[in-house]
Amino acid sequence: MNQDARPPIPEPGTVADIEAGDPHGDLLELEAGRLVILRVEQLGADIALRLTGPGTDGGIEADSPTGDWDAEELAFVTPQRGIY
């Protein structure tokens, strides 16, 4: 992937309006062995998290039964360097 074509990496606390049924994604370039914790506050929308990248065998998902007014969280250690 052309480095100039990558969207900027989101800062912690980034806010995004997500409509029902619309996927949203951000890219993270990470070294091997990095702990990644994705936490999304669900403010009236039940969402699921999915992390894809090198060594994830199709992706890692989190969709807890918290409903649409609690946090969704996914924790993962990157197995190799790459874009997730």
Coordinates of all heavy atoms in Angstrom, one line a residue:
M1 N 0.8 -1.2 0.0 CA 0.0 0.0 0.0 C 0.9 1.2 0.0 O 1.9 1.3 0.7 CB -0.9 0.0 1.2 CG -1.7 1.2 1.4 SD -2.8 1.2 2.9 CE -4.3 0.7 2.1
N2 N 0.6 2.2 -0.8 CA 1.3 3.5 -0.9 C 1.1 4.2 0.4 O 0.0 4.5 0.9 CB 0.8 4.3 -2.0 CG 1.4 5.6 -2.2 OD1 2.1 6.1 -1.3 ND2 1.3 6.2 -3.3
Q3 N 2.2 4.6 1.1 CA 2.2 5.2 2.4 C 1.4 6.5 2.3 O 0.7 6.9 3.3 CB 3.6 5.5 2.9 CG 3.6 5.9 4.3 CD 5.0 6.0 4.9 OE1 6.0 5.7 4.2 NE2 5.1 6.2 6.2
D4 N 1.5 7.3 1.2 CA 0.7 8.5 1.1 C -0.8 8.3 1.0 O -1.5 9.2 1.3 CB 1.2 9.3 -0.1 CG 2.7 9.7 0.1 OD1 3.1 9.9 1.2 OD2 3.4 9.9 -1.0
A5 N -1.2 7.1 0.6 CA -2.6 6.8 0.5 C -3.3 6.4 1.8 O -4.5 6.3 1.9 CB -2.8 5.7 -0.6
R6 N -2.5 6.2 2.8 CA -3.1 5.7 4.1 C -3.8 6.9 4.8 O -3.3 8.0 4.9 CB -2.0 5.2 5.0 CG -1.4 4.0 4.6 CD -0.4 3.5 5.7 NE 0.5 2.6 5.0 CZ 1.8 2.5 5.3 NH1 2.3 3.2 6.3 NH2 2.6 1.7 4.7
P7 N -4.9 6.6 5.4 CA -5.6 7.6 6.2 C -4.7 7.9 7.5 O -4.0 7.0 7.9 CB -6.9 7.1 6.5 CG -6.8 5.6 6.3 CD -5.7 5.4 5.4
P8 N -4.9 9.0 8.1 CA -4.1 9.3 9.3 C -4.5 8.3 10.5 O -5.7 7.9 10.5 CB -4.5 10.7 9.7 CG -5.7 11.0 9.0 CD -5.7 10.1 7.7
I9 N -3.6 8.0 11.3 CA -3.9 7.1 12.5 C -4.7 7.9 13.5 O -4.4 9.1 13.8 CB -2.6 6.6 13.1 CG1 -1.9 5.7 12.1 CG2 -2.9 5.9 14.4 CD1 -0.5 5.2 12.6
P10 N -5.9 7.4 13.9 CA -6.7 8.1 14.9 C -6.0 8.3 16.2 O -5.3 7.5 16.7 CB -7.9 7.2 15.0 CG -7.5 5.9 14.7 CD -6.4 6.0 13.7
E11 N -6.3 9.5 16.8 CA -5.8 9.8 18.1 C -6.7 9.2 19.2 O -7.9 9.0 18.9 CB -5.7 11.3 18.3 CG -4.7 12.0 17.4 CD -3.3 11.6 17.7 OE1 -2.9 11.5 18.9 OE2 -2.5 11.5 16.8
P12 N -6.2 8.8 20.3 CA -7.0 8.3 21.4 C -8.1 9.4 21.7 O -7.9 10.6 21.7 CB -6.1 8.2 22.6 CG -4.8 8.0 22.0 CD -4.8 8.8 20.7
G13 N -9.3 8.9 21.9 CA -10.4 9.8 22.1 C -11.1 10.3 20.9 O -12.0 11.2 20.9
T14 N -10.7 9.8 19.7 CA -11.3 10.2 18.4 C -12.8 9.9 18.5 O -13.2 8.8 18.9 CB -10.6 9.5 17.3 OG1 -9.3 9.8 17.2 CG2 -11.3 9.9 15.9
V15 N -13.6 10.8 18.0 CA -15.0 10.7 17.9 C -15.4 10.6 16.4 O -15.0 11.3 15.6 CB -15.8 11.9 18.6 CG1 -17.3 11.7 18.4 CG2 -15.4 11.9 20.0
A16 N -16.3 9.6 16.1 CA -16.8 9.4 14.8 C -18.3 9.1 14.9 O -18.7 8.3 15.7 CB -16.1 8.3 14.1
D17 N -19.1 9.8 14.0 CA -20.5 9.4 13.9 C -20.6 8.3 13.0 O -20.2 8.3 11.8 CB -21.3 10.6 13.4 CG -21.4 11.8 14.4 OD1 -21.4 11.5 15.6 OD2 -21.4 12.9 14.0
I18 N -21.2 7.2 13.4 CA -21.4 6.0 12.6 C -22.9 5.7 12.5 O -23.6 5.6 13.5 CB -20.7 4.8 13.3 CG1 -19.2 5.1 13.4 CG2 -20.9 3.5 12.5 CD1 -18.4 4.1 14.3
E19 N -23.4 5.6 11.3 CA -24.8 5.3 11.0 C -25.0 3.8 11.1 O -24.1 3.0 10.8 CB -25.2 5.8 9.7 CG -25.1 7.3 9.5 CD -26.1 8.1 10.3 OE1 -27.2 7.5 10.5 OE2 -25.7 9.1 10.8
A20 N -26.2 3.4 11.5 CA -26.5 1.9 11.5 C -26.3 1.3 10.2 O -26.7 1.8 9.2 CB -28.0 1.8 11.9
G21 N -25.6 0.1 10.2 CA -25.3 -0.6 9.0 C -24.1 -0.2 8.2 O -23.8 -0.8 7.3
D22 N -23.5 1.0 8.6 CA -22.4 1.5 7.9 C -21.1 1.1 8.6 O -20.9 1.4 9.7 CB -22.4 3.0 7.8 CG -23.5 3.5 6.8 OD1 -24.0 2.7 6.0 OD2 -23.9 4.7 7.0
P23 N -20.2 0.4 7.9 CA -18.9 0.0 8.5 C -18.0 1.3 8.6 O -18.1 2.2 7.8 CB -18.3 -1.0 7.5 CG -18.9 -0.7 6.2 CD -20.3 -0.2 6.5
H24 N -17.2 1.2 9.6 CA -16.2 2.3 9.8 C -14.9 1.7 10.1 O -14.8 0.7 10.8 CB -16.6 3.2 11.0 CG -15.7 4.3 11.3 ND1 -15.6 5.4 10.6 CD2 -14.7 4.3 12.3 CE1 -14.6 6.2 11.1 NE2 -14.0 5.5 12.1
G25 N -13.8 2.2 9.6 CA -12.5 1.6 9.9 C -11.4 2.6 9.9 O -11.5 3.7 9.3
D26 N -10.3 2.3 10.6 CA -9.1 3.1 10.6 C -7.9 2.1 10.5 O -8.0 0.9 10.9 CB -9.0 3.8 12.0 CG -10.0 5.0 12.1 OD1 -9.9 5.9 11.3 OD2 -10.8 4.9 13.0
L27 N -6.8 2.6 10.0 CA -5.6 1.8 9.8 C -4.6 2.1 10.9 O -4.4 3.3 11.2 CB -5.0 2.0 8.5 CG -5.9 1.6 7.3 CD1 -5.1 2.0 6.0 CD2 -6.2 0.2 7.3
L28 N -4.0 1.1 11.4 CA -2.9 1.3 12.4 C -1.7 0.5 11.9 O -1.8 -0.7 11.7 CB -3.3 0.7 13.8 CG -4.6 1.3 14.4 CD1 -5.0 0.5 15.6 CD2 -4.3 2.8 14.8
E29 N -0.5 1.2 11.8 CA 0.7 0.5 11.5 C 1.4 0.2 12.8 O 1.8 1.1 13.5 CB 1.6 1.4 10.6 CG 2.8 0.6 10.1 CD 3.6 1.3 9.0 OE1 3.2 2.5 8.6 OE2 4.5 0.8 8.5
L30 N 1.6 -1.1 13.1 CA 2.1 -1.5 14.4 C 3.3 -2.5 14.3 O 3.4 -3.3 13.3 CB 1.0 -2.2 15.2 CG -0.3 -1.4 15.4 CD1 -1.4 -2.3 15.9 CD2 0.0 -0.2 16.4
E31 N 4.2 -2.5 15.2 CA 5.3 -3.4 15.3 C 4.8 -4.7 16.0 O 3.7 -4.7 16.6 CB 6.4 -2.8 16.2 CG 7.0 -1.5 15.7 CD 7.7 -1.7 14.3 OE1 8.3 -2.8 14.2 OE2 7.7 -0.8 13.5
A32 N 5.5 -5.8 15.8 CA 5.2 -7.0 16.4 C 5.3 -6.9 18.0 O 6.1 -6.2 18.5 CB 6.2 -8.1 16.0
G33 N 4.4 -7.6 18.6 CA 4.4 -7.6 20.1 C 3.7 -6.4 20.8 O 3.8 -6.3 22.0
R34 N 3.0 -5.6 20.0 CA 2.3 -4.4 20.6 C 1.0 -4.8 21.1 O 0.2 -5.6 20.5 CB 2.1 -3.4 19.5 CG 3.4 -2.7 19.0 CD 4.2 -2.0 20.1 NE 3.4 -0.9 20.7 CZ 3.7 0.3 20.6 NH1 4.7 0.7 19.8 NH2 2.9 1.2 21.2
L35 N 0.6 -4.4 22.3 CA -0.7 -4.6 22.9 C -1.6 -3.5 22.3 O -1.3 -2.3 22.4 CB -0.7 -4.5 24.4 CG -2.0 -4.5 25.1 CD1 -2.7 -5.8 24.8 CD2 -1.9 -4.2 26.6
V36 N -2.7 -4.0 21.7 CA -3.7 -3.1 21.1 C -5.0 -3.2 21.9 O -5.4 -4.4 22.1 CB -4.0 -3.5 19.6 CG1 -5.1 -2.6 19.1 CG2 -2.8 -3.4 18.8
I37 N -5.5 -2.1 22.4 CA -6.8 -2.2 23.1 C -7.7 -1.2 22.4 O -7.4 0.0 22.4 CB -6.7 -1.8 24.6 CG1 -5.7 -2.8 25.3 CG2 -8.0 -1.8 25.2 CD1 -5.4 -2.4 26.7
L38 N -8.7 -1.7 21.8 CA -9.7 -0.9 21.1 C -10.9 -0.8 22.0 O -11.4 -1.8 22.5 CB -10.1 -1.5 19.8 CG -9.0 -1.7 18.7 CD1 -9.6 -2.5 17.5 CD2 -8.4 -0.4 18.3
R39 N -11.3 0.4 22.3 CA -12.5 0.6 23.2 C -13.4 1.7 22.5 O -13.0 2.7 22.1 CB -12.1 1.1 24.5 CG -13.2 1.3 25.5 CD -12.7 1.9 26.8 NE -13.8 2.2 27.7 CZ -14.5 1.4 28.5 NH1 -14.1 0.2 28.6 NH2 -15.5 1.9 29.2
V40 N -14.7 1.3 22.3 CA -15.6 2.1 21.6 C -16.8 2.3 22.6 O -17.4 1.3 23.0 CB -16.1 1.6 20.3 CG1 -17.1 2.4 19.7 CG2 -14.9 1.4 19.4
E41 N -17.2 3.5 22.8 CA -18.4 3.8 23.6 C -19.6 3.8 22.7 O -19.6 4.5 21.7 CB -18.3 5.2 24.3 CG -17.1 5.3 25.3 CD -17.4 4.5 26.6 OE1 -18.5 4.2 26.9 OE2 -16.4 4.0 27.2
Q42 N -20.5 2.9 23.0 CA -21.7 2.8 22.2 C -22.8 3.8 22.8 O -23.2 3.6 23.9 CB -22.3 1.3 22.3 CG -21.3 0.3 21.8 CD -21.7 -1.1 22.0 OE1 -21.9 -1.7 21.0 NE2 -21.9 -1.5 23.2
L43 N -23.1 4.8 22.0 CA -24.0 5.8 22.5 C -25.3 5.7 21.7 O -25.6 6.5 20.9 CB -23.4 7.2 22.3 CG -22.0 7.4 23.0 CD1 -21.5 8.8 22.7 CD2 -22.2 7.3 24.5
G44 N -26.0 4.6 22.0 CA -27.3 4.4 21.4 C -27.2 3.5 20.1 O -28.2 3.4 19.4
A45 N -26.1 2.9 19.9 CA -26.0 2.0 18.7 C -25.2 0.7 19.1 O -24.1 0.8 19.7 CB -25.3 2.7 17.6
D46 N -25.8 -0.4 18.9 CA -25.1 -1.7 19.2 C -24.1 -2.0 18.1 O -24.4 -2.2 16.9 CB -26.1 -2.8 19.3 CG -25.4 -4.1 19.8 OD1 -24.3 -4.1 20.3 OD2 -26.1 -5.2 19.7
I47 N -22.8 -2.0 18.4 CA -21.7 -2.2 17.4 C -20.9 -3.4 17.7 O -21.0 -4.0 18.8 CB -20.8 -1.0 17.3 CG1 -20.0 -0.8 18.7 CG2 -21.5 0.3 17.0 CD1 -18.8 0.0 18.5
A48 N -20.1 -3.8 16.7 CA -19.2 -4.9 16.9 C -17.8 -4.4 16.4 O -17.8 -3.6 15.5 CB -19.6 -6.1 16.1
L49 N -16.8 -4.9 17.0 CA -15.4 -4.5 16.6 C -14.8 -5.7 15.9 O -15.0 -6.8 16.2 CB -14.5 -4.2 17.9 CG -15.0 -3.0 18.7 CD1 -14.1 -2.9 20.0 CD2 -15.0 -1.7 18.0
R50 N -14.0 -5.3 14.9 CA -13.2 -6.3 14.1 C -11.9 -5.8 13.8 O -11.7 -4.7 13.3 CB -14.0 -6.7 12.8 CG -13.3 -7.7 12.0 CD -14.1 -8.0 10.8 NE -13.5 -8.9 9.9 CZ -13.6 -10.3 9.9 NH1 -14.4 -10.8 10.8 NH2 -13.0 -11.0 9.1
L51 N -10.8 -6.6 14.2 CA -9.4 -6.2 13.9 C -8.9 -7.2 12.9 O -9.0 -8.4 13.1 CB -8.6 -6.3 15.2 CG -7.1 -6.0 15.0 CD1 -6.9 -4.6 14.7 CD2 -6.4 -6.4 16.2
T52 N -8.4 -6.7 11.7 CA -7.8 -7.6 10.7 C -6.4 -7.1 10.5 O -6.0 -6.0 10.7 CB -8.6 -7.5 9.4 OG1 -8.6 -6.2 8.9 CG2 -10.0 -8.0 9.6
G53 N -5.5 -8.0 10.0 CA -4.2 -7.7 9.7 C -3.3 -9.0 9.7 O -3.8 -10.1 9.8
P54 N -2.0 -8.8 9.6 CA -1.1 -9.9 9.5 C -1.2 -10.9 10.7 O -1.3 -10.4 11.8 CB 0.3 -9.3 9.4 CG 0.1 -7.9 9.1 CD -1.3 -7.5 9.5
G55 N -1.4 -12.1 10.4 CA -1.5 -13.1 11.5 C -2.8 -13.2 12.3 O -2.9 -13.9 13.3
T56 N -3.8 -12.5 11.8 CA -5.1 -12.6 12.5 C -6.1 -13.6 11.9 O -7.2 -13.8 12.4 CB -5.8 -11.2 12.4 OG1 -6.2 -10.9 11.1 CG2 -5.0 -10.1 13.1
D57 N -5.6 -14.4 10.9 CA -6.4 -15.4 10.3 C -7.9 -15.0 10.0 O -8.8 -15.6 10.4 CB -6.4 -16.7 11.2 CG -5.1 -17.3 11.3 OD1 -4.3 -17.3 10.3 OD2 -4.7 -17.8 12.4
G58 N -8.0 -13.9 9.3 CA -9.3 -13.5 8.9 C -10.0 -12.4 9.8 O -11.0 -11.9 9.5
G59 N -9.4 -12.2 10.9 CA -9.9 -11.2 11.8 C -10.2 -11.7 13.2 O -10.5 -12.8 13.4
I60 N -10.2 -10.7 14.1 CA -10.6 -11.0 15.5 C -11.8 -10.1 15.8 O -11.7 -8.9 15.5 CB -9.4 -10.7 16.5 CG1 -8.3 -11.6 16.1 CG2 -9.8 -10.8 17.9 CD1 -7.0 -11.2 16.7
E61 N -12.8 -10.6 16.4 CA -14.0 -9.8 16.6 C -14.4 -9.8 18.1 O -14.1 -10.7 18.9 CB -15.2 -10.5 15.8 CG -15.0 -10.4 14.3 CD -16.2 -11.0 13.6 OE1 -17.2 -11.4 14.2 OE2 -16.2 -11.0 12.3
A62 N -15.1 -8.7 18.4 CA -15.7 -8.5 19.7 C -17.1 -7.9 19.6 O -17.2 -6.9 18.9 CB -14.8 -7.6 20.6
D63 N -18.0 -8.6 20.1 CA -19.4 -8.1 20.1 C -20.1 -8.7 21.4 O -20.7 -9.7 21.4 CB -20.1 -8.6 18.9 CG -21.5 -7.9 18.7 OD1 -21.8 -7.0 19.5 OD2 -22.3 -8.4 17.9
S64 N -19.9 -8.0 22.5 CA -20.4 -8.4 23.7 C -21.9 -8.1 23.9 O -22.4 -7.2 23.2 CB -19.6 -7.8 24.9 OG -19.7 -6.4 24.8
P65 N -22.6 -8.7 24.7 CA -24.0 -8.5 24.9 C -24.3 -7.3 25.8 O -25.2 -7.3 26.7 CB -24.5 -9.8 25.6 CG -23.4 -10.2 26.4 CD -22.1 -9.8 25.5
T66 N -23.6 -6.2 25.5 CA -23.7 -5.0 26.4 C -24.9 -4.1 25.9 O -25.1 -3.1 26.6 CB -22.4 -4.2 26.4 OG1 -22.1 -3.8 25.0 CG2 -21.3 -4.9 27.0
G67 N -25.5 -4.4 24.8 CA -26.6 -3.6 24.3 C -26.0 -2.4 23.6 O -24.9 -2.4 23.0
D68 N -26.7 -1.3 23.6 CA -26.3 -0.1 22.8 C -25.9 1.1 23.6 O -25.9 2.2 23.1 CB -27.3 0.2 21.7 CG -28.7 0.2 22.2 OD1 -29.0 -0.2 23.3 OD2 -29.6 0.7 21.4
W69 N -25.7 0.9 24.9 CA -25.3 2.0 25.8 C -24.1 1.7 26.7 O -24.0 2.2 27.8 CB -26.5 2.5 26.6 CG -27.5 3.2 25.8 CD1 -28.6 2.6 25.3 CD2 -27.4 4.5 25.3 NE1 -29.3 3.5 24.6 CE2 -28.6 4.7 24.5 CE3 -26.5 5.5 25.3 CZ2 -28.8 5.9 23.8 CZ3 -26.7 6.7 24.7 CH2 -27.9 6.9 23.9
D70 N -23.2 0.8 26.3 CA -22.0 0.5 27.1 C -20.8 0.4 26.1 O -20.9 0.6 24.9 CB -22.3 -0.8 27.8 CG -21.4 -1.0 29.1 OD1 -20.5 -0.1 29.3 OD2 -21.7 -1.9 29.8
A71 N -19.7 0.1 26.7 CA -18.4 0.1 25.9 C -18.3 -1.3 25.3 O -18.6 -2.3 25.8 CB -17.2 0.4 26.7
E72 N -17.7 -1.3 24.1 CA -17.3 -2.5 23.4 C -15.8 -2.5 23.4 O -15.2 -1.4 23.1 CB -17.8 -2.5 21.9 CG -17.8 -3.8 21.3 CD -18.8 -4.8 21.8 OE1 -20.0 -4.6 21.7 OE2 -18.3 -5.8 22.4
E73 N -15.1 -3.6 23.8 CA -13.6 -3.6 23.9 C -13.0 -4.8 23.3 O -13.6 -5.9 23.4 CB -13.3 -3.5 25.4 CG -11.8 -3.2 25.6 CD -11.5 -2.8 27.0 OE1 -11.7 -1.6 27.4 OE2 -11.1 -3.7 27.8
L74 N -11.9 -4.6 22.6 CA -11.1 -5.7 22.0 C -9.7 -5.5 22.4 O -9.1 -4.4 22.2 CB -11.3 -5.7 20.5 CG -10.7 -6.9 19.7 CD1 -11.6 -7.2 18.5 CD2 -9.3 -6.5 19.3
A75 N -9.0 -6.6 22.9 CA -7.6 -6.5 23.3 C -6.9 -7.6 22.5 O -7.4 -8.7 22.3 CB -7.4 -6.7 24.8
F76 N -5.6 -7.2 22.0 CA -4.9 -8.1 21.1 C -3.4 -7.8 21.1 O -3.1 -6.6 21.2 CB -5.5 -7.9 19.7 CG -4.8 -8.7 18.6 CD1 -5.0 -10.1 18.5 CD2 -4.0 -8.1 17.7 CE1 -4.4 -10.8 17.5 CE2 -3.4 -8.8 16.7 CZ -3.6 -10.2 16.6
V77 N -2.6 -8.8 21.0 CA -1.1 -8.5 20.9 C -0.8 -8.9 19.4 O -1.0 -10.0 19.0 CB -0.3 -9.4 21.9 CG1 1.2 -9.2 21.6 CG2 -0.6 -9.1 23.3
T78 N -0.1 -7.9 18.7 CA 0.2 -8.1 17.3 C 1.2 -9.2 17.2 O 2.3 -9.1 17.8 CB 0.7 -6.8 16.7 OG1 1.8 -6.3 17.4 CG2 -0.4 -5.8 16.7
P79 N 1.0 -10.2 16.3 CA 1.9 -11.3 16.1 C 3.1 -10.9 15.2 O 4.2 -11.5 15.3 CB 1.1 -12.4 15.5 CG 0.0 -11.7 14.8 CD -0.3 -10.5 15.6
Q80 N 2.9 -9.9 14.4 CA 4.0 -9.4 13.5 C 3.8 -8.0 13.1 O 2.7 -7.5 13.3 CB 4.1 -10.3 12.3 CG 2.8 -10.4 11.4 CD 2.9 -11.5 10.4 OE1 2.9 -12.7 10.8 NE2 2.8 -11.2 9.2
R81 N 4.8 -7.4 12.6 CA 4.7 -6.0 12.1 C 3.8 -5.9 10.9 O 3.8 -6.8 10.1 CB 6.1 -5.5 11.7 CG 6.2 -4.1 11.3 CD 7.6 -3.7 10.9 NE 7.7 -2.3 10.8 CZ 7.4 -1.6 9.6 NH1 7.1 -2.3 8.6 NH2 7.6 -0.3 9.5
G82 N 3.0 -4.8 10.8 CA 2.1 -4.7 9.7 C 1.1 -3.6 9.9 O 1.0 -3.0 10.9
I83 N 0.2 -3.6 8.9 CA -1.0 -2.6 9.0 C -2.2 -3.4 9.4 O -2.6 -4.4 8.8 CB -1.2 -2.0 7.6 CG1 0.1 -1.1 7.3 CG2 -2.4 -1.1 7.7 CD1 0.0 -0.5 5.9
Y84 N -2.8 -3.0 10.4 CA -4.0 -3.6 11.0 C -5.2 -2.7 10.9 O -5.1 -1.5 10.7 CB -3.8 -3.9 12.5 CG -2.7 -5.0 12.7 CD1 -1.4 -4.7 12.7 CD2 -3.1 -6.3 12.9 CE1 -0.4 -5.7 12.9 CE2 -2.1 -7.3 13.1 CZ -0.8 -7.0 13.1 OH 0.1 -7.9 13.2

